[in-house]
Amino acid sequence: MRPRALVTGAGARVGRATAIELARAGFDVGVHYNRSEGPAAETAALCREHGAHAWTVGGDLGTAEGCSAVVEATKTHWDSLHVLVNNASLFYPVAFGDITDAEWERMLAVNLLAPFRLSRDLLPLLTTADGSAVGAPDGQHGLVVHLCDIGADRPVSGHAHYSVSKAGLVMLVKAMAIELAPAIRTVGVSPGQVAWPPDYDADKRARLTRRIPLHRVGTPEDVGTLVRFLALEAHYLNGIVVPVDGGLACRY
Ligand SMILES: NC(=O)c1ccc[n+]([C@@H]2O[C@H](COP(=O)([O-])OP(=O)(O)OC[C@H]3O[C@@H](n4cnc5c(N)ncnc54)[C@H](OP(=O)(O)O)[C@@H]3O)[C@@H](O)[C@H]2O)c1
């Protein structure tokens, strides 16, 4: 049996690269999307080129119904799950004084409540997964990866709601790591700059790139490679948040 991975927000960018990398490494893949139905179907097709059984599921993770739809689809396709990648996320600026209650709640719902809900509701599948299928030692079965952000420690101006959601996600990594192990490992991945927000102009991109010690931005594939490593080789990592940022988080 091929091991199985569910990746949220996998229609494009980091989610797509992670899904494809896991397929390339031998996983069957569940590809979640919200609005990007067509691109998600393309992601699934690209996963199939690597021999994966790949399926898609839509759902607004800002709602309980959307989260349930993803859980139910996963249970319909599979009776066990090896890797859950909580990648889907909202990111957009609002000046602090203009953040409405509704914006705050939706940001927290998509970025923090949904990863909790999916992790909680997929526990039965994650804990019955056969760890040996992914090369894990006995007793270390499922893996949950939360996509955090180096901004979880250092808030991005104009993004208080986003920064708080990612800071909460870092604590969720740690809370799950102590409570769900040894059955499940939980690891955070914190990108620096691996895919530009579409609204960043050339000047802003150049300015931000100059701050990165490696003098270049990363790629979605840099994240996918790390997630594959976490799933297949890093069996003693649990409760840590790994930066993928070219050293940017070392600056202040
Ligand atoms: N890009 C970076 O350089 C960077 C930096 C730091 C942290 N990160 C983190 O790394 C992860 C991936 O980054 P990214 O730039 O690839 O993300 P992204 O493109 O901003 O978003 C990923 C996906 O999230 C999904 N999504 C948004 N709202 C949703 C909702 N209500 N319900 C369900 N899905 C929803 C979207 O799916 P649809 O398209 O299907 O609607 C989107 O494709 C995110 O968690 C992000 O916070 C990225």
Side-chain angles (χ1 to χ4, degrees), residues 123-149:
L123 271 184
L125 269 65
L126 284 159
T127 48
T128 57
D130 175 5
S132 62
V134 287
D138 285 347
Q140 297 192 18
H141 291 173
L143 169 69
V144 177
V145 177
H146 295 307
L147 263 292
C148 305
D149 190 311

mmCIF file with all atom_site columns, all heavy atoms in Angstrom, residues 123-149:
data_model
loop_
_atom_site.group_PDB
_atom_site.id
_atom_site.type_symbol
_atom_site.label_atom_id
_atom_site.label_alt_id
_atom_site.label_comp_id
_atom_site.label_asym_id
_atom_site.label_entity_id
_atom_site.label_seq_id
_atom_site.pdbx_PDB_ins_code
_atom_site.Cartn_x
_atom_site.Cartn_y
_atom_site.Cartn_z
_atom_site.occupancy
_atom_site.B_iso_or_equiv
_atom_site.pdbx_formal_charge
_atom_site.auth_seq_id
_atom_site.auth_comp_id
_atom_site.auth_asym_id
_atom_site.auth_atom_id
_atom_site.pdbx_PDB_model_num
ATOM 1   N N   . LEU A 1 123 ? -8.012  12.395 13.430 1.00 0.00 ? 123 LEU A N   1
ATOM 2   C CA  . LEU A 1 123 ? -7.221  11.594 14.379 1.00 0.00 ? 123 LEU A CA  1
ATOM 3   C C   . LEU A 1 123 ? -7.430  10.092 14.205 1.00 0.00 ? 123 LEU A C   1
ATOM 4   O O   . LEU A 1 123 ? -6.457  9.333  14.199 1.00 0.00 ? 123 LEU A O   1
ATOM 5   C CB  . LEU A 1 123 ? -7.585  11.967 15.819 1.00 0.00 ? 123 LEU A CB  1
ATOM 6   C CG  . LEU A 1 123 ? -6.809  13.096 16.496 1.00 0.00 ? 123 LEU A CG  1
ATOM 7   C CD1 . LEU A 1 123 ? -7.271  13.234 17.947 1.00 0.00 ? 123 LEU A CD1 1
ATOM 8   C CD2 . LEU A 1 123 ? -5.322  12.840 16.427 1.00 0.00 ? 123 LEU A CD2 1
ATOM 9   N N   . PRO A 1 124 ? -8.677  9.634  14.061 1.00 0.00 ? 124 PRO A N   1
ATOM 10  C CA  . PRO A 1 124 ? -8.863  8.181  13.950 1.00 0.00 ? 124 PRO A CA  1
ATOM 11  C C   . PRO A 1 124 ? -8.111  7.592  12.749 1.00 0.00 ? 124 PRO A C   1
ATOM 12  O O   . PRO A 1 124 ? -7.566  6.491  12.837 1.00 0.00 ? 124 PRO A O   1
ATOM 13  C CB  . PRO A 1 124 ? -10.379 8.030  13.766 1.00 0.00 ? 124 PRO A CB  1
ATOM 14  C CG  . PRO A 1 124 ? -10.952 9.270  14.356 1.00 0.00 ? 124 PRO A CG  1
ATOM 15  C CD  . PRO A 1 124 ? -9.962  10.357 14.077 1.00 0.00 ? 124 PRO A CD  1
ATOM 16  N N   . LEU A 1 125 ? -8.060  8.346  11.657 1.00 0.00 ? 125 LEU A N   1
ATOM 17  C CA  . LEU A 1 125 ? -7.347  7.830  10.478 1.00 0.00 ? 125 LEU A CA  1
ATOM 18  C C   . LEU A 1 125 ? -5.836  7.914  10.680 1.00 0.00 ? 125 LEU A C   1
ATOM 19  O O   . LEU A 1 125 ? -5.086  7.022  10.290 1.00 0.00 ? 125 LEU A O   1
ATOM 20  C CB  . LEU A 1 125 ? -7.732  8.624  9.224  1.00 0.00 ? 125 LEU A CB  1
ATOM 21  C CG  . LEU A 1 125 ? -8.913  8.078  8.408  1.00 0.00 ? 125 LEU A CG  1
ATOM 22  C CD1 . LEU A 1 125 ? -10.197 8.153  9.217  1.00 0.00 ? 125 LEU A CD1 1
ATOM 23  C CD2 . LEU A 1 125 ? -9.054  8.818  7.099  1.00 0.00 ? 125 LEU A CD2 1
ATOM 24  N N   . LEU A 1 126 ? -5.398  8.996  11.301 1.00 0.00 ? 126 LEU A N   1
ATOM 25  C CA  . LEU A 1 126 ? -3.950  9.181  11.499 1.00 0.00 ? 126 LEU A CA  1
ATOM 26  C C   . LEU A 1 126 ? -3.389  8.168  12.489 1.00 0.00 ? 126 LEU A C   1
ATOM 27  O O   . LEU A 1 126 ? -2.270  7.690  12.341 1.00 0.00 ? 126 LEU A O   1
ATOM 28  C CB  . LEU A 1 126 ? -3.675  10.596 12.022 1.00 0.00 ? 126 LEU A CB  1
ATOM 29  C CG  . LEU A 1 126 ? -3.764  11.712 10.978 1.00 0.00 ? 126 LEU A CG  1
ATOM 30  C CD1 . LEU A 1 126 ? -3.995  13.053 11.653 1.00 0.00 ? 126 LEU A CD1 1
ATOM 31  C CD2 . LEU A 1 126 ? -2.498  11.752 10.136 1.00 0.00 ? 126 LEU A CD2 1
ATOM 32  N N   . THR A 1 127 ? -4.183  7.812  13.475 1.00 0.00 ? 127 THR A N   1
ATOM 33  C CA  . THR A 1 127 ? -3.647  6.914  14.505 1.00 0.00 ? 127 THR A CA  1
ATOM 34  C C   . THR A 1 127 ? -3.714  5.459  14.089 1.00 0.00 ? 127 THR A C   1
ATOM 35  O O   . THR A 1 127 ? -3.034  4.627  14.668 1.00 0.00 ? 127 THR A O   1
ATOM 36  C CB  . THR A 1 127 ? -4.396  7.098  15.844 1.00 0.00 ? 127 THR A CB  1
ATOM 37  O OG1 . THR A 1 127 ? -5.788  7.089  15.598 1.00 0.00 ? 127 THR A OG1 1
ATOM 38  C CG2 . THR A 1 127 ? -4.002  8.400  16.494 1.00 0.00 ? 127 THR A CG2 1
ATOM 39  N N   . THR A 1 128 ? -4.508  5.138  13.078 1.00 0.00 ? 128 THR A N   1
ATOM 40  C CA  . THR A 1 128 ? -4.528  3.742  12.640 1.00 0.00 ? 128 THR A CA  1
ATOM 41  C C   . THR A 1 128 ? -3.622  3.520  11.437 1.00 0.00 ? 128 THR A C   1
ATOM 42  O O   . THR A 1 128 ? -3.490  2.417  10.954 1.00 0.00 ? 128 THR A O   1
ATOM 43  C CB  . THR A 1 128 ? -5.948  3.278  12.253 1.00 0.00 ? 128 THR A CB  1
ATOM 44  O OG1 . THR A 1 128 ? -6.430  4.142  11.231 1.00 0.00 ? 128 THR A OG1 1
ATOM 45  C CG2 . THR A 1 128 ? -6.872  3.299  13.456 1.00 0.00 ? 128 THR A CG2 1
ATOM 46  N N   . ALA A 1 129 ? -2.992  4.611  10.970 1.00 0.00 ? 129 ALA A N   1
ATOM 47  C CA  . ALA A 1 129 ? -2.113  4.441  9.809  1.00 0.00 ? 129 ALA A CA  1
ATOM 48  C C   . ALA A 1 129 ? -0.955  3.510  10.159 1.00 0.00 ? 129 ALA A C   1
ATOM 49  O O   . ALA A 1 129 ? -0.489  3.484  11.288 1.00 0.00 ? 129 ALA A O   1
ATOM 50  C CB  . ALA A 1 129 ? -1.557  5.789  9.376  1.00 0.00 ? 129 ALA A CB  1
ATOM 51  N N   . ASP A 1 130 ? -0.524  2.763  9.161  1.00 0.00 ? 130 ASP A N   1
ATOM 52  C CA  . ASP A 1 130 ? 0.599   1.848  9.366  1.00 0.00 ? 130 ASP A CA  1
ATOM 53  C C   . ASP A 1 130 ? 1.900   2.601  9.138  1.00 0.00 ? 130 ASP A C   1
ATOM 54  O O   . ASP A 1 130 ? 2.317   2.821  8.018  1.00 0.00 ? 130 ASP A O   1
ATOM 55  C CB  . ASP A 1 130 ? 0.482   0.672  8.400  1.00 0.00 ? 130 ASP A CB  1
ATOM 56  C CG  . ASP A 1 130 ? 1.690   -0.245 8.505  1.00 0.00 ? 130 ASP A CG  1
ATOM 57  O OD1 . ASP A 1 130 ? 2.543   -0.017 9.388  1.00 0.00 ? 130 ASP A OD1 1
ATOM 58  O OD2 . ASP A 1 130 ? 1.775   -1.180 7.701  1.00 0.00 ? 130 ASP A OD2 1
ATOM 59  N N   . GLY A 1 131 ? 2.529   3.023  10.227 1.00 0.00 ? 131 GLY A N   1
ATOM 60  C CA  . GLY A 1 131 ? 3.745   3.823  10.121 1.00 0.00 ? 131 GLY A CA  1
ATOM 61  C C   . GLY A 1 131 ? 4.833   3.164  9.312  1.00 0.00 ? 131 GLY A C   1
ATOM 62  O O   . GLY A 1 131 ? 5.638   3.842  8.670  1.00 0.00 ? 131 GLY A O   1
ATOM 63  N N   . SER A 1 132 ? 4.864   1.852  9.314  1.00 0.00 ? 132 SER A N   1
ATOM 64  C CA  . SER A 1 132 ? 5.943   1.187  8.599  1.00 0.00 ? 132 SER A CA  1
ATOM 65  C C   . SER A 1 132 ? 5.888   1.489  7.101  1.00 0.00 ? 132 SER A C   1
ATOM 66  O O   . SER A 1 132 ? 6.895   1.445  6.417  1.00 0.00 ? 132 SER A O   1
ATOM 67  C CB  . SER A 1 132 ? 5.881   -0.323 8.831  1.00 0.00 ? 132 SER A CB  1
ATOM 68  O OG  . SER A 1 132 ? 4.669   -0.833 8.321  1.00 0.00 ? 132 SER A OG  1
ATOM 69  N N   . ALA A 1 133 ? 4.707   1.840  6.630  1.00 0.00 ? 133 ALA A N   1
ATOM 70  C CA  . ALA A 1 133 ? 4.581   2.114  5.202  1.00 0.00 ? 133 ALA A CA  1
ATOM 71  C C   . ALA A 1 133 ? 5.361   3.360  4.798  1.00 0.00 ? 133 ALA A C   1
ATOM 72  O O   . ALA A 1 133 ? 5.744   3.500  3.643  1.00 0.00 ? 133 ALA A O   1
ATOM 73  C CB  . ALA A 1 133 ? 3.115   2.297  4.818  1.00 0.00 ? 133 ALA A CB  1
ATOM 74  N N   . VAL A 1 134 ? 5.594   4.274  5.726  1.00 0.00 ? 134 VAL A N   1
ATOM 75  C CA  . VAL A 1 134 ? 6.398   5.444  5.384  1.00 0.00 ? 134 VAL A CA  1
ATOM 76  C C   . VAL A 1 134 ? 7.786   5.351  6.006  1.00 0.00 ? 134 VAL A C   1
ATOM 77  O O   . VAL A 1 134 ? 8.519   6.322  6.088  1.00 0.00 ? 134 VAL A O   1
ATOM 78  C CB  . VAL A 1 134 ? 5.722   6.774  5.821  1.00 0.00 ? 134 VAL A CB  1
ATOM 79  C CG1 . VAL A 1 134 ? 4.544   7.085  4.933  1.00 0.00 ? 134 VAL A CG1 1
ATOM 80  C CG2 . VAL A 1 134 ? 5.322   6.738  7.274  1.00 0.00 ? 134 VAL A CG2 1
ATOM 81  N N   . GLY A 1 135 ? 8.133   4.200  6.470  1.00 0.00 ? 135 GLY A N   1
ATOM 82  C CA  . GLY A 1 135 ? 9.472   4.007  6.996  1.00 0.00 ? 135 GLY A CA  1
ATOM 83  C C   . GLY A 1 135 ? 9.627   4.455  8.425  1.00 0.00 ? 135 GLY A C   1
ATOM 84  O O   . GLY A 1 135 ? 10.735  4.537  8.946  1.00 0.00 ? 135 GLY A O   1
ATOM 85  N N   . ALA A 1 136 ? 8.522   4.771  9.099  1.00 0.00 ? 136 ALA A N   1
ATOM 86  C CA  . ALA A 1 136 ? 8.632   5.248  10.481 1.00 0.00 ? 136 ALA A CA  1
ATOM 87  C C   . ALA A 1 136 ? 8.852   4.084  11.431 1.00 0.00 ? 136 ALA A C   1
ATOM 88  O O   . ALA A 1 136 ? 8.319   3.000  11.219 1.00 0.00 ? 136 ALA A O   1
ATOM 89  C CB  . ALA A 1 136 ? 7.358   5.986  10.871 1.00 0.00 ? 136 ALA A CB  1
ATOM 90  N N   . PRO A 1 137 ? 9.615   4.317  12.488 1.00 0.00 ? 137 PRO A N   1
ATOM 91  C CA  . PRO A 1 137 ? 9.772   3.259  13.493 1.00 0.00 ? 137 PRO A CA  1
ATOM 92  C C   . PRO A 1 137 ? 8.434   2.981  14.169 1.00 0.00 ? 137 PRO A C   1
ATOM 93  O O   . PRO A 1 137 ? 7.523   3.805  14.129 1.00 0.00 ? 137 PRO A O   1
ATOM 94  C CB  . PRO A 1 137 ? 10.759  3.867  14.499 1.00 0.00 ? 137 PRO A CB  1
ATOM 95  C CG  . PRO A 1 137 ? 11.315  5.066  13.844 1.00 0.00 ? 137 PRO A CG  1
ATOM 96  C CD  . PRO A 1 137 ? 10.351  5.519  12.808 1.00 0.00 ? 137 PRO A CD  1
ATOM 97  N N   . ASP A 1 138 ? 8.354   1.851  14.839 1.00 0.00 ? 138 ASP A N   1
ATOM 98  C CA  . ASP A 1 138 ? 7.128   1.509  15.549 1.00 0.00 ? 138 ASP A CA  1
ATOM 99  C C   . ASP A 1 138 ? 6.717   2.636  16.476 1.00 0.00 ? 138 ASP A C   1
ATOM 100 O O   . ASP A 1 138 ? 7.549   3.252  17.139 1.00 0.00 ? 138 ASP A O   1
ATOM 101 C CB  . ASP A 1 138 ? 7.339   0.253  16.395 1.00 0.00 ? 138 ASP A CB  1
ATOM 102 C CG  . ASP A 1 138 ? 7.368   -0.980 15.511 1.00 0.00 ? 138 ASP A CG  1
ATOM 103 O OD1 . ASP A 1 138 ? 6.989   -0.852 14.331 1.00 0.00 ? 138 ASP A OD1 1
ATOM 104 O OD2 . ASP A 1 138 ? 7.779   -2.038 15.999 1.00 0.00 ? 138 ASP A OD2 1
ATOM 105 N N   . GLY A 1 139 ? 5.428   2.869  16.577 1.00 0.00 ? 139 GLY A N   1
ATOM 106 C CA  . GLY A 1 139 ? 4.919   3.835  17.541 1.00 0.00 ? 139 GLY A CA  1
ATOM 107 C C   . GLY A 1 139 ? 4.921   5.262  17.047 1.00 0.00 ? 139 GLY A C   1
ATOM 108 O O   . GLY A 1 139 ? 4.464   6.148  17.735 1.00 0.00 ? 139 GLY A O   1
ATOM 109 N N   . GLN A 1 140 ? 5.462   5.516  15.865 1.00 0.00 ? 140 GLN A N   1
ATOM 110 C CA  . GLN A 1 140 ? 5.444   6.885  15.346 1.00 0.00 ? 140 GLN A CA  1
ATOM 111 C C   . GLN A 1 140 ? 4.700   6.866  14.017 1.00 0.00 ? 140 GLN A C   1
ATOM 112 O O   . GLN A 1 140 ? 5.296   6.714  12.973 1.00 0.00 ? 140 GLN A O   1
ATOM 113 C CB  . GLN A 1 140 ? 6.859   7.403  15.151 1.00 0.00 ? 140 GLN A CB  1
ATOM 114 C CG  . GLN A 1 140 ? 7.597   7.469  16.467 1.00 0.00 ? 140 GLN A CG  1
ATOM 115 C CD  . GLN A 1 140 ? 8.882   8.229  16.355 1.00 0.00 ? 140 GLN A CD  1
ATOM 116 O OE1 . GLN A 1 140 ? 9.059   8.972  15.407 1.00 0.00 ? 140 GLN A OE1 1
ATOM 117 N NE2 . GLN A 1 140 ? 9.758   8.061  17.307 1.00 0.00 ? 140 GLN A NE2 1
ATOM 118 N N   . HIS A 1 141 ? 3.421   6.974  14.111 1.00 0.00 ? 141 HIS A N   1
ATOM 119 C CA  . HIS A 1 141 ? 2.600   6.701  12.955 1.00 0.00 ? 141 HIS A CA  1
ATOM 120 C C   . HIS A 1 141 ? 2.320   7.941  12.113 1.00 0.00 ? 141 HIS A C   1
ATOM 121 O O   . HIS A 1 141 ? 3.054   8.247  11.201 1.00 0.00 ? 141 HIS A O   1
ATOM 122 C CB  . HIS A 1 141 ? 1.316   6.018  13.397 1.00 0.00 ? 141 HIS A CB  1
ATOM 123 C CG  . HIS A 1 141 ? 1.584   4.636  13.905 1.00 0.00 ? 141 HIS A CG  1
ATOM 124 N ND1 . HIS A 1 141 ? 0.616   3.870  14.496 1.00 0.00 ? 141 HIS A ND1 1
ATOM 125 C CD2 . HIS A 1 141 ? 2.702   3.895  13.929 1.00 0.00 ? 141 HIS A CD2 1
ATOM 126 C CE1 . HIS A 1 141 ? 1.136   2.694  14.857 1.00 0.00 ? 141 HIS A CE1 1
ATOM 127 N NE2 . HIS A 1 141 ? 2.400   2.704  14.512 1.00 0.00 ? 141 HIS A NE2 1
ATOM 128 N N   . GLY A 1 142 ? 1.296   8.677  12.474 1.00 0.00 ? 142 GLY A N   1
ATOM 129 C CA  . GLY A 1 142 ? 0.921   9.787  11.615 1.00 0.00 ? 142 GLY A CA  1
ATOM 130 C C   . GLY A 1 142 ? 1.842   10.990 11.747 1.00 0.00 ? 142 GLY A C   1
ATOM 131 O O   . GLY A 1 142 ? 2.631   11.100 12.688 1.00 0.00 ? 142 GLY A O   1
ATOM 132 N N   . LEU A 1 143 ? 1.760   11.889 10.787 1.00 0.00 ? 143 LEU A N   1
ATOM 133 C CA  . LEU A 1 143 ? 2.483   13.159 10.836 1.00 0.00 ? 143 LEU A CA  1
ATOM 134 C C   . LEU A 1 143 ? 1.525   14.278 10.445 1.00 0.00 ? 143 LEU A C   1
ATOM 135 O O   . LEU A 1 143 ? 0.837   14.178 9.423  1.00 0.00 ? 143 LEU A O   1
ATOM 136 C CB  . LEU A 1 143 ? 3.662   13.146 9.848  1.00 0.00 ? 143 LEU A CB  1
ATOM 137 C CG  . LEU A 1 143 ? 4.340   14.507 9.614  1.00 0.00 ? 143 LEU A CG  1
ATOM 138 C CD1 . LEU A 1 143 ? 5.093   14.969 10.863 1.00 0.00 ? 143 LEU A CD1 1
ATOM 139 C CD2 . LEU A 1 143 ? 5.298   14.433 8.420  1.00 0.00 ? 143 LEU A CD2 1
ATOM 140 N N   . VAL A 1 144 ? 1.468   15.309 11.269 1.00 0.00 ? 144 VAL A N   1
ATOM 141 C CA  . VAL A 1 144 ? 0.722   16.512 10.904 1.00 0.00 ? 144 VAL A CA  1
ATOM 142 C C   . VAL A 1 144 ? 1.721   17.644 10.739 1.00 0.00 ? 144 VAL A C   1
ATOM 143 O O   . VAL A 1 144 ? 2.559   17.876 11.629 1.00 0.00 ? 144 VAL A O   1
ATOM 144 C CB  . VAL A 1 144 ? -0.322  16.885 11.983 1.00 0.00 ? 144 VAL A CB  1
ATOM 145 C CG1 . VAL A 1 144 ? -1.031  18.198 11.601 1.00 0.00 ? 144 VAL A CG1 1
ATOM 146 C CG2 . VAL A 1 144 ? -1.344  15.762 12.135 1.00 0.00 ? 144 VAL A CG2 1
ATOM 147 N N   . VAL A 1 145 ? 1.644   18.317 9.607  1.00 0.00 ? 145 VAL A N   1
ATOM 148 C CA  . VAL A 1 145 ? 2.494   19.479 9.334  1.00 0.00 ? 145 VAL A CA  1
ATOM 149 C C   . VAL A 1 145 ? 1.593   20.709 9.250  1.00 0.00 ? 145 VAL A C   1
ATOM 150 O O   . VAL A 1 145 ? 0.629   20.718 8.476  1.00 0.00 ? 145 VAL A O   1
ATOM 151 C CB  . VAL A 1 145 ? 3.275   19.312 8.012  1.00 0.00 ? 145 VAL A CB  1
ATOM 152 C CG1 . VAL A 1 145 ? 4.092   20.576 7.716  1.00 0.00 ? 145 VAL A CG1 1
ATOM 153 C CG2 . VAL A 1 145 ? 4.169   18.082 8.060  1.00 0.00 ? 145 VAL A CG2 1
ATOM 154 N N   . HIS A 1 146 ? 1.913   21.701 10.056 1.00 0.00 ? 146 HIS A N   1
ATOM 155 C CA  . HIS A 1 146 ? 1.201   22.976 9.964  1.00 0.00 ? 146 HIS A CA  1
ATOM 156 C C   . HIS A 1 146 ? 2.111   23.990 9.272  1.00 0.00 ? 146 HIS A C   1
ATOM 157 O O   . HIS A 1 146 ? 3.255   24.200 9.716  1.00 0.00 ? 146 HIS A O   1
ATOM 158 C CB  . HIS A 1 146 ? 0.863   23.516 11.361 1.00 0.00 ? 146 HIS A CB  1
ATOM 159 C CG  . HIS A 1 146 ? -0.104  22.672 12.135 1.00 0.00 ? 146 HIS A CG  1
ATOM 160 N ND1 . HIS A 1 146 ? -1.334  22.277 11.647 1.00 0.00 ? 146 HIS A ND1 1
ATOM 161 C CD2 . HIS A 1 146 ? -0.036  22.152 13.393 1.00 0.00 ? 146 HIS A CD2 1
ATOM 162 C CE1 . HIS A 1 146 ? -1.968  21.565 12.559 1.00 0.00 ? 146 HIS A CE1 1
ATOM 163 N NE2 . HIS A 1 146 ? -1.200  21.466 13.621 1.00 0.00 ? 146 HIS A NE2 1
ATOM 164 N N   . LEU A 1 147 ? 1.601   24.650 8.232  1.00 0.00 ? 147 LEU A N   1
ATOM 165 C CA  . LEU A 1 147 ? 2.362   25.721 7.580  1.00 0.00 ? 147 LEU A CA  1
ATOM 166 C C   . LEU A 1 147 ? 2.200   26.996 8.398  1.00 0.00 ? 147 LEU A C   1
ATOM 167 O O   . LEU A 1 147 ? 1.118   27.597 8.433  1.00 0.00 ? 147 LEU A O   1
ATOM 168 C CB  . LEU A 1 147 ? 1.850   25.920 6.145  1.00 0.00 ? 147 LEU A CB  1
ATOM 169 C CG  . LEU A 1 147 ? 2.649   25.196 5.050  1.00 0.00 ? 147 LEU A CG  1
ATOM 170 C CD1 . LEU A 1 147 ? 4.030   25.787 4.897  1.00 0.00 ? 147 LEU A CD1 1
ATOM 171 C CD2 . LEU A 1 147 ? 2.777   23.708 5.339  1.00 0.00 ? 147 LEU A CD2 1
ATOM 172 N N   . CYS A 1 148 ? 3.264   27.372 9.067  1.00 0.00 ? 148 CYS A N   1
ATOM 173 C CA  . CYS A 1 148 ? 3.269   28.572 9.920  1.00 0.00 ? 148 CYS A CA  1
ATOM 174 C C   . CYS A 1 148 ? 3.869   29.731 9.123  1.00 0.00 ? 148 CYS A C   1
ATOM 175 O O   . CYS A 1 148 ? 3.603   29.878 7.937  1.00 0.00 ? 148 CYS A O   1
ATOM 176 C CB  . CYS A 1 148 ? 4.046   28.288 11.197 1.00 0.00 ? 148 CYS A CB  1
ATOM 177 S SG  . CYS A 1 148 ? 3.443   26.846 12.112 1.00 0.00 ? 148 CYS A SG  1
ATOM 178 N N   . ASP A 1 149 ? 4.724   30.527 9.727  1.00 0.00 ? 149 ASP A N   1
ATOM 179 C CA  . ASP A 1 149 ? 5.315   31.693 9.056  1.00 0.00 ? 149 ASP A CA  1
ATOM 180 C C   . ASP A 1 149 ? 6.371   32.233 10.016 1.00 0.00 ? 149 ASP A C   1
ATOM 181 O O   . ASP A 1 149 ? 6.130   32.270 11.224 1.00 0.00 ? 149 ASP A O   1
ATOM 182 C CB  . ASP A 1 149 ? 4.226   32.755 8.806  1.00 0.00 ? 149 ASP A CB  1
ATOM 183 C CG  . ASP A 1 149 ? 4.688   33.890 7.898  1.00 0.00 ? 149 ASP A CG  1
ATOM 184 O OD1 . ASP A 1 149 ? 5.781   34.451 8.146  1.00 0.00 ? 149 ASP A OD1 1
ATOM 185 O OD2 . ASP A 1 149 ? 3.962   34.229 6.961  1.00 0.00 ? 149 ASP A OD2 1
#
